[in-house]
Amino acid sequence: MESILLLAHTESDGRLGKPALEALAAALALGGELTVGLVGGDAQPAADQIAGAGAARILAVTGEAFTHPRYSTDAAAAEALCRAAGAKIVLAPSTSRWSRALPGVAYRLGGRIDTHATSLAQQNGAPAVTRWFYRQRMEAVLTRQQRPWVVLLDPGCVPAWSGAAGSAAVEPVAVDAHPTRTTVTGVQAPKADEQTIRPDAKLLFVAGAGWTKKQADGAVHGAEAEKLILGFLRTAKASLGGSKSLVDLSGEGEAVLRFMTHMNQIGQTGSTPRHPKGLSTCCHGEEPHVVGWRFVTERRAINLDPNCGWARGKADVLYVADAFEVMREVNRLLG
Ligand SMILES: Cc1cc2nc3c(=O)[nH]c(=O)nc-3n(C[C@H](O)[C@H](O)[C@H](O)COP(=O)(O)OP(=O)(O)OC[C@H]3O[C@@H](n4cnc5c(N)ncnc54)[C@H](O)[C@@H]3O)c2cc1C
């Protein structure tokens, strides 16, 4: 088996995040000699965290310049680690940081990169990558002759490594401080409670355009819809998805569901998240939407229409009911 380099950057607490531990598990399962390459302000806590993984070497590029995500410094660090390790296969988690920096690194090394891999495993004696094409409609298995072969593994595809911590020896790798015009002045992010997209949530809650339509009394109940949905998300810690019709409405500045953006859109032209369970509400369940549910294991839907798309084999359970009534009662039980 060819040698493998696992590239990982530290998170704000100095440790490795779940996507990095998932990529570590995938690298170990591959079976070749494993080198870990760490990037961050200080790599020792991360190295100690994975001391029990049995990596042959742990290399690190550290220092103030490598604390923050930034293309020039991340690419320089990754390139130096790849050259120091000399590995044929370079595996990294598909974090926004690596997704931005590693394609350029593969080019500098004269190698190749594949992104959005869902697995990297031995097949017929050679490493092979699995990934989806055409908005998750076709799954392909790829091998490549070129080396180094850089592979970005999507989060949520492999159980995270969870071995013992310990104390690990780290070999520093020097990088010339690359001139950069980008200065990181801080991070602006919504408070954790306001964040509605939660990739690690057990449940995906999808809101469709029905929440904004006239109801049985002939009126629109946007304010109550907002209260019911946000109330449920807070107590259930679910992730929020939307249909295209609904997110387009919000984009037009309609006074409904102000927390919904195009980032929430699930489907053919939206995202394809991985959650164990999904609950669709006031959404018709048309094919371009449901294709985004491909990796949701257990699907339920609430719709007034017994003939909606979900009824045609797309949901495990369809509740033919008024979502306002159902969610009012669910929130009462949860509260
Ligand atoms: C090229 C292309 C790409 C597309 N990509 C996407 C995509 O990525 N994602 C996506 O979502 N769509 C996509 N679409 C659009 C998709 O085909 C549908 O138009 C869209 O998903 C419909 O959204 P909806 O179900 O929320 O709204 P509607 O079709 O308006 O359905 C609203 C539903 O709410 C129900 N309802 C109303 N009130 C209640 C209530 N009180 N209780 C319960 N149910 C109620 C109604 O019965 C109805 O079924 C795409 C279309 C095309 C052509």
Side-chain angles (χ1 to χ4, degrees):
M1 178 51 213
E2 294 169 276
S3 52
I4 308 158
L5 169 67
L6 171 78
L7 279 178
H9 55 74
T10 58
E11 302 297 331
S12 53
D13 61 358
R15 292 165 57 83
L16 296 182
K18 190 161 163 269
L21 297 176
E22 291 171 359
L24 172 60
L28 287 167
L30 210 52
E33 185 180 276
L34 174 66
T35 301
V36 174
L38 298 172
V39 179
D42 173 14
Q44 195 62 51
D48 290 347
Q49 183 186 355
I50 56 164
R57 296 168 78 191
I58 300 185
L59 311 177
V61 172
T62 56
E64 175 57 26
F66 304 100
T67 311
H68 299 292
R70 177 172 38 204
Y71 178 82
S72 58
T73 43
D74 283 344
E79 183 186 351
L81 287 167
C82 289
R83 292 195 191 281
K88 302 279 185 227
I89 307 287
V90 179
L91 183 63
S94 284
T95 59
S96 58
R97 196 166 170 176
W98 282 147
S99 298
R100 181 169 52 174
L102 294 190
V105 174
Y107 179 78
R108 290 182 197 180
L109 297 170
R112 293 290 188 278
I113 185 164
D114 279 285
T115 60
H116 292 295
T118 51
S119 86
L120 172 63
Q122 286 280 19
Q123 284 198 13
N124 304 323
V129 153
T130 306
R131 65 155 295 171
W132 294 78
F133 287 93
Y134 301 110
R135 305 293 317 183
Q136 330 300 349
R137 282 186 161 84
M138 291 164 66
E139 191 183 29
V141 180
L142 321 170
T143 56
R144 282 194 187 275
Q145 302 303 318
Q146 298 93 346
R147 298 291 185 265
W149 187 13
V150 183
V151 176
L152 282 167
L153 183 71
D154 266 358
C157 299
V158 176
W161 180 84
S162 61
S167 85
V170 178
E171 295 175 46
V173 172
V175 176
D176 295 337
H178 275 229
T180 175
R181 288 172 299 172
T182 310
T183 308
V184 181
T185 57
V187 176
Q188 289 184 1
K191 282 192 236 143
D193 244 22
E194 289 166 18
Q195 182 64 265
T196 58
I197 299 173
R198 301 172 174 139
D200 286 336
K202 293 203 176 78
L203 177 73
L204 169 71
F205 178 90
V206 159
W211 285 103
T212 64
K213 300 267 163 80
K214 279 187 186 163
Q215 295 300 308
D217 60 0
V220 170
H221 296 278
E224 190 190 0
E226 217 172 280
K227 204 171 126 218
L228 287 173
I229 294 168
L230 287 179
F232 177 74
L233 293 178
R234 275 193 201 109
T235 43
K237 299 275 175 273
S239 188
L240 178 67
S243 69
K244 181 161 169 47
S245 298
L246 185 60
V247 303
D248 283 353
L249 263 184
S250 313
E252 294 301 324
E254 302 272 334
V256 284
L257 307 192
R258 285 159 293 176
F259 48 87
M260 191 68 92
T261 73
H262 283 95
M263 297 290 286
N264 294 94
Q265 186 184 320
I266 308 292
Q268 182 181 341
T269 43
S271 63
T272 315
R274 293 182 162 81
H275 298 276
K277 294 183 178 187
L279 177 64
S280 157
T281 55
C282 295
C283 164
H284 194 73
E286 284 185 39
E287 184 58 22
H289 174 77
V290 178
V291 74
W293 284 63
R294 173 142 290 180
F295 303 123
V296 176
T297 319
E298 189 189 316
R299 309 162 175 198
R300 297 186 180 208
I302 309 171
N303 200 306
L304 284 170
D305 179 2
N307 271 324
C308 69
W310 296 110
R312 295 173 206 155
K314 289 174 178 158
D316 301 298
V317 178
L318 169 66
Y319 303 98
V320 179
D322 181 342
F324 281 83
E325 273 178 38
V326 175
M327 295 317 296
R328 235 179 261 137
E329 181 60 11
V330 167
N331 282 353
R332 191 187 67 74
L333 292 170
L334 285 173

